[in-house]
Amino acid sequence: MAYTAEIIGVGTELLLGNIANTDAQDVSRALSEIGVNVYFHTVVGDNPERLKQAVAIARARADIIITTGGLGPTCDDLTKQTLAEAFGKKLIFNEDEAEQIRAFFKTRLHNMELTENNYQQAYLPEDCTIFHNGCGTAPGCAFESGGTHVLMLPGPPRECRAMLESCALPYLKKLSDAEIHSHNIHIFGLGESAVEARLRDMMLALENPTLAPYAKDSEVLLRVTARARSKEEAESMMAPVLEKVRAVLGDIIYGIDTETLENTAVGLLKEKNKTLSCAESCTGGLLAKRLTDIPGASRVFPGSITTYATETKTAILGVDAGLIREKGVASREVAEQMALQVREKFGSDLGVGITGIAGPDSDDSGLAPGTVFVALATPDGLWCRSLALPFDRARVRTAASSHALDMIRRHLTGLPVE
Amino acid sequence: MAYTAEIIGVGTELLLGNIANTDAQDVSRALSEIGVNVYFHTVVGDNPERLKQAVAIARARADIIITTGGLGPTCDDLTKQTLAEAFGKKLIFNEDEAEQIRAFFKTRLHNMELTENNYQQAYLPEDCTIFHNGCGTAPGCAFESGGTHVLMLPGPPRECRAMLESCALPYLKKLSDAEIHSHNIHIFGLGESAVEARLRDMMLALENPTLAPYAKDSEVLLRVTARARSKEEAESMMAPVLEKVRAVLGDIIYGIDTETLENTAVGLLKEKNKTLSCAESCTGGLLAKRLTDIPGASRVFPGSITTYATETKTAILGVDAGLIREKGVASREVAEQMALQVREKFGSDLGVGITGIAGPDSDDSGLAPGTVFVALATPDGLWCRSLALPFDRARVRTAASSHALDMIRRHLTGLPVE
């Protein structure tokens, strides 16, 4: 049997247009992958009467109600009270959750106070399954009442996504006897529409498993999803699809079920026992930040230098001032010398140099915003990509750092780098 | 009289989670600015039965129904037909719109073939106001029936926004004489619940203007919103509320209607004509990245050094190796020396040093993850915050870099820094 779900977003900030309802998108995508139909989204403000109204409507047309938001500690966070009342459940003080909240506040030193209203979060509907919040203080929960399953998730997108993955999806998967399994194919070096053009016929023809593309920041993710009675059956259904996609896309696939380009790069550095340092100009620390997003990066990443002002490229990094004058600060030659210099300074195996125009404005050189040079210096050679990235400032910076990570990956796996 | 609107998003791609409902956000923000209340958003797929259901519900609880999406030329674009039927309006062929569509294909789409179903877009409800589409072929429209105003806008966000501005808002403004204005109060150094505890009575008592808190990454945003007949009237209603909030929260307010802590810090550096460099360990480049998110930061930010591995703190930055052995690499003393050294190396006015344990694991020192030291070296003195941040790795890093930005702000505005 296919379940039907309705997603109710709770929060006046949604109705004022302060934020987009990305929680509904995240939850919808996850539900579609496990075969739960979503026919309606509703958004309602921090108003118990109107929330009650929305719940009554949803209850009449869905088997599963998922709320997002309204679980916080402030007086306008009313989701739990309203849903519990609508389904005739008492709210009961949960000592374990209160302890978690206390522990969360205990170690904080800087100006943070635990107030009485934080304990409001420790009240939960009777007989519910508690969804522990790994990223914040508000726990979520789920209960069943008269054939309707009610799940409550927190509003902040990061907390909502984490709880969806770790608690809500496992809860929902148990309701159905079909199992859903999927693989994520990570791609760098081709846009979403180009990927889709190469695989379009296959995507349209496939029903189970399905194959669907998702655009990410300067990357593309393809997801293969199979519905089957067991993991083994799902895997054997997905295997030929994976093989076909690999044959079509080749080495622009940087990983299957890996997390990010930075995970892949740091993983390869660890595996090959190599160290990397970087010199950043227009990315201003973003590449270093992405590498150090990965726990344990210190084994392979001794550090980096951000030479944001032109004179620091010479003073701190030792780039030849004459070369900068002659070729321009945003040039292949300067990127290459930045990579070589930082590699020598840190004594690392690999060195990256990035220089260019992040925008929104051009610099004195007259080069267009989005002109970026990314160089990789290694014991085996020196490479540089010269890029024209037609994006806004934030995306130019992300894409430039992604190119550096892709060059590192390609070098460490013996593929052509430029 | 204040009108009440409901926004109905039409499109299966929304229910599958392929896209977020940014149209609802755009329309909501615009409505809130002209004083129209939005109490509900609904999203429904390309399904006439369920759309009819959603319209019936909306009609009973709103004066204005605004649909987005479902105006295109394909067979699943059914908004116009369904709404016209629900309100007993005939669809009438409009020769002017047909001509516009022909012209659009001829000039903008390079004579792309015009198919019969493109003409479907030229059928419009009788007695409606036509909203011409400057960015695409699908016209929108508005009509009034039995006291309900119905407005239909196209789904593609660019088309929706353009038609909202040029057609829908002028149509709606004629209905109402109230305006909405608001101010955002940005706070760092106190959690959402603690802010609310201090202002709870005020928040509950206020109706117009209203005062509401929003949690952001390690920050809090308070919004004051007033509904009035003019901007001047709204401002005079909000002034006493702003004054009261300032009196209660004091200097943890880092800005009113500013954007971010990094904008504030970079703005103050520019204003005071000061330069800043930083040495990062556990934040690994994040502070540099945030500073260089701001266009034009190179005037005040010469650069930074990420000393991620312990030995680079000595080799690259010149921190005393004996001090690291004695005090530990994550210590107040090392953070302070990092700040002093980087300031000297870059010859900048201010220097920041950050060292600590981002987690998820502890290091050899046995210090808990989230233990971070943030130091600021200036010509006037040296300060260090020692923090215990009970968050996951990503939030520890964000919060640590926010503390650095807050210390910069406080120093440059003459406030106590630690």
Side-chain angles (χ1 to χ4, degrees):
Chain A
M1 171 210 165
Y3 284 89
T4 299
E6 175 153 348
I7 302 165
I8 302 180
V10 185
T12 302
E13 67 277 21
L14 291 159
L15 296 180
L16 289 173
N18 297 332
I19 54 170
N21 192 3
T22 54
D23 286 345
Q25 181 184 11
D26 291 334
V27 174
S28 294
R29 188 187 292 155
L31 292 181
S32 106
E33 280 173 13
I34 63 165
V36 173
N37 293 317
V38 178
Y39 289 150
F40 295 96
H41 296 169
T42 304
V43 172
V44 61
D46 302 314
N47 176 298
E49 271 318 302
R50 286 192 281 271
L51 175 55
K52 209 181 287 177
Q53 224 186 92
V55 168
I57 292 169
R59 193 176 185 171
R61 63 191 184 187
D63 313 305
I64 299 166
I65 297 176
I66 302 183
T67 66
T68 58
L71 298 183
T74 72
C75 56
D76 55 358
D77 289 312
L78 294 160
T79 303
K80 247 174 357 191
Q81 290 83 329
T82 307
L83 272 283
E85 196 190 317
F87 287 87
K89 298 262 179 189
K90 278 193 213 112
L91 288 179
I92 294 174
F93 184 74
N94 184 299
E95 185 48 50
D96 286 352
E97 282 300 321
E99 188 45 46
Q100 302 260 20
I101 293 165
R102 257 178 242 124
F104 192 91
F105 278 81
K106 196 172 172 185
T107 44
R108 188 186 297 264
L109 296 182
H110 187 75
N111 270 349
M112 197 64 79
E113 310 165 358
L114 178 56
T115 58
E116 222 14 73
N117 50 10
N118 288 112
Y119 285 113
Q120 188 186 295
Q121 301 185 339
Y123 283 87
L124 290 161
E126 55 187 329
D127 307 323
C128 74
T129 303
I130 298 172
F131 291 169
H132 181 63
N133 189 334
C135 321
T137 57
C141 63
F143 60 77
E144 190 271 332
S145 172
T148 305
H149 290 270
V150 177
L151 288 80
M152 299 183 224
L153 303 176
R158 225 165 47 92
E159 297 180 27
C160 180
R161 269 195 301 271
M163 195 179 287
L164 179 67
E165 283 294 326
S166 64
C167 305
L169 287 178
Y171 179 95
L172 292 169
K173 279 178 181 167
K174 280 194 207 138
L175 302 181
S176 163
D177 59 355
E179 290 186 17
I180 302 274
H181 294 278
S182 63
H183 288 295
N184 293 323
I185 305 168
H186 296 266
I187 295 152
F188 181 83
L190 209 58
E192 188 188 6
S193 54
V195 167
E196 208 191 325
R198 295 192 189 184
L199 295 168
R200 192 187 189 91
D201 294 344
M202 192 175 169
M203 283 183 196
L204 289 172
L206 284 169
E207 282 189 353
N208 185 20
T210 57
L211 180 65
Y214 301 93
K216 285 170 54 184
D217 258 359
S218 69
E219 296 182 27
V220 178
L221 175 71
L222 276 175
R223 185 173 292 136
V224 191
T225 306
R227 180 199 306 261
R229 275 158 307 178
S230 68
K231 185 163 178 11
E232 293 65 38
E233 192 186 3
E235 291 296 348
S236 70
M237 291 160 72
M238 288 187 283
V241 177
L242 285 170
E243 200 175 322
K244 178 92 182 287
V245 171
R246 271 207 196 88
V248 173
L249 297 179
D251 61 26
I252 62 167
I253 296 174
Y254 72 78
I256 311 267
D257 302 327
T258 42
E259 284 180 69
T260 56
L261 267 172
E262 44 270 42
N263 261 295
T264 303
V266 169
L268 281 167
L269 288 164
K270 283 182 183 172
E271 189 189 313
K272 310 277 180 188
N273 216 7
K274 301 280 183 202
T275 58
L276 165 82
S277 58
C278 54
E280 303 186 60
S281 183
C282 62
T283 48
L286 176 57
L287 178 58
K289 183 262 176 195
R290 289 180 65 179
L291 290 163
T292 59
D293 277 343
I294 315 303
S298 63
R299 253 184 58 205
V300 296
F301 179 67
S304 74
I305 297 182
T306 300
T307 52
Y308 205 60
T310 300
E311 56 277 16
T312 61
K313 290 181 181 66
T314 302
I316 305 284
L317 200 56
V319 174
D320 179 8
L323 185 78
I324 294 177
R325 270 195 306 276
E326 188 193 338
K327 301 292 180 181
V329 67
S331 64
R332 166 182 289 266
E333 290 78 5
V334 169
E336 289 178 348
Q337 215 182 89
M338 287 170 70
L340 289 165
Q341 288 293 116
V342 80
R343 178 170 167 254
E344 193 184 309
K345 234 180 162 56
F346 280 88
S348 55
D349 300 303
L350 312 182
V352 167
I354 306 178
T355 181
I357 322 285
D361 302 317
S362 185
D363 70 352
D364 303 337
S365 67
L367 289 173
T371 305
V372 181
F373 300 89
V374 183
L376 175 67
T378 78
D380 313 319
L382 178 62
W383 294 275
C384 187
R385 287 188 189 172
S386 91
L387 306 166
L389 303 164
F391 310 131
D392 65 18
R393 181 178 175 86
R395 269 190 75 186
V396 165
R397 285 158 46 98
T398 302
S401 60
S402 293
H403 273 280
L405 294 166
D406 187 52
M407 290 169 78
I408 296 163
R409 166 187 83 92
R410 293 183 69 92
H411 171 67
L412 292 176
T413 51
L415 294 167
V417 173
E418 268 179 32
Chain B
M1 168 210 166
Y3 283 89
T4 299
E6 174 152 350
I7 302 166
I8 302 181
V10 185
T12 302
E13 69 277 20
L14 291 160
L15 297 179
L16 290 173
N18 297 333
I19 53 170
N21 192 5
T22 54
D23 286 345
Q25 181 184 12
D26 292 335
V27 175
S28 295
R29 191 186 292 150
L31 292 181
S32 108
E33 278 168 15
I34 62 164
V36 173
N37 291 317
V38 178
Y39 289 153
F40 295 95
H41 296 169
T42 303
V43 172
V44 59
D46 301 314
N47 177 296
E49 271 317 302
R50 285 192 282 269
L51 175 54
K52 209 179 290 177
Q53 222 185 94
V55 169
I57 291 170
R59 194 176 184 172
R61 63 191 184 188
D63 313 306
I64 300 167
I65 297 176
I66 301 183
T67 66
T68 60
L71 299 182
T74 72
C75 55
D76 56 358
D77 289 311
L78 295 160
T79 302
K80 246 175 357 189
Q81 290 83 331
T82 308
L83 272 282
E85 198 190 315
F87 286 87
K89 296 265 180 188
K90 278 194 211 110
L91 288 178
I92 295 174
F93 184 75
N94 184 298
E95 183 49 48
D96 285 353
E97 280 302 321
E99 187 45 45
Q100 301 262 20
I101 292 166
R102 262 180 234 118
F104 189 91
F105 271 74
K106 198 167 172 184
T107 57
R108 304 279 285 274
L109 300 179
H110 309 290
N111 284 322
M112 197 173 96
E113 199 186 333
L114 183 58
T115 60
E116 224 12 74
N117 51 10
N118 289 112
Y119 285 112
Q120 186 188 294
Q121 302 185 337
Y123 283 89
L124 290 160
E126 55 186 330
D127 307 323
C128 73
T129 303
I130 299 174
F131 291 170
H132 179 64
N133 189 334
C135 321
T137 57
C141 63
F143 61 78
E144 189 271 333
S145 173
T148 305
H149 290 271
V150 177
L151 288 81
M152 300 183 222
L153 302 176
R158 220 166 50 94
E159 298 180 28
C160 180
R161 268 195 302 268
M163 194 178 288
L164 179 66
E165 283 296 323
S166 64
C167 307
L169 286 179
Y171 180 96
L172 292 169
K173 276 179 181 165
K174 282 190 208 145
L175 304 180
S176 162
D177 57 359
E179 292 183 19
I180 301 271
H181 295 278
S182 63
H183 288 297
N184 293 322
I185 305 168
H186 296 266
I187 296 153
F188 181 82
L190 209 58
E192 187 190 4
S193 55
V195 167
E196 210 229 340
R198 297 192 186 184
L199 296 167
R200 192 190 188 96
D201 294 345
M202 193 177 171
M203 283 183 199
L204 289 173
L206 283 169
E207 281 189 355
N208 185 22
T210 57
L211 180 66
Y214 302 93
K216 284 170 56 184
D217 257 2
S218 69
E219 294 181 28
V220 178
L221 175 71
L222 276 177
R223 183 172 293 129
V224 192
T225 306
R227 179 197 309 263
R229 275 159 306 178
S230 69
K231 186 161 175 17
E232 293 65 38
E233 191 187 2
E235 290 296 347
S236 71
M237 290 160 74
M238 289 187 282
V241 177
L242 286 169
E243 200 176 321
K244 178 92 183 284
V245 170
R246 272 207 195 90
V248 173
L249 296 179
D251 60 26
I252 62 167
I253 295 174
Y254 72 78
I256 311 268
D257 302 327
T258 42
E259 284 182 68
T260 57
L261 267 172
E262 44 270 41
N263 261 296
T264 304
V266 169
L268 281 167
L269 287 164
K270 284 182 182 171
E271 188 188 315
K272 310 276 179 188
N273 215 7
K274 300 283 181 199
T275 58
L276 164 84
S277 58
C278 55
E280 302 186 60
S281 183
C282 61
T283 49
L286 175 57
L287 177 59
K289 183 261 175 198
R290 290 180 67 181
L291 290 163
T292 60
D293 277 342
I294 314 304
S298 62
R299 253 184 60 204
V300 295
F301 179 68
S304 73
I305 297 183
T306 300
T307 52
Y308 206 60
T310 299
E311 56 277 16
T312 61
K313 290 181 181 65
T314 301
I316 305 285
L317 200 56
V319 174
D320 179 9
L323 186 79
I324 293 177
R325 269 195 306 276
E326 187 193 338
K327 301 292 180 180
V329 67
S331 64
R332 166 182 289 264
E333 290 79 5
V334 169
E336 289 178 348
Q337 216 181 89
M338 287 170 69
L340 289 165
Q341 288 293 118
V342 81
R343 178 169 167 257
E344 194 184 310
K345 235 181 161 55
F346 280 87
S348 55
D349 300 304
L350 312 184
V352 167
I354 306 178
T355 181
I357 323 285
D361 302 316
S362 185
D363 71 350
D364 304 337
S365 68
L367 288 173
T371 305
V372 181
F373 300 88
V374 183
L376 175 66
T378 79
D380 314 318
L382 179 62
W383 294 275
C384 187
R385 285 188 189 170
S386 88
L387 307 166
L389 304 164
F391 310 130
D392 65 20
R393 181 178 175 86
R395 270 190 75 187
V396 164
R397 284 158 48 96
T398 302
S401 59
S402 293
H403 274 280
L405 294 166
D406 187 52
M407 290 169 77
I408 295 163
R409 166 186 83 90
R410 293 182 69 92
H411 171 66
L412 292 175
T413 50
L415 294 167
V417 173
E418 266 177 35

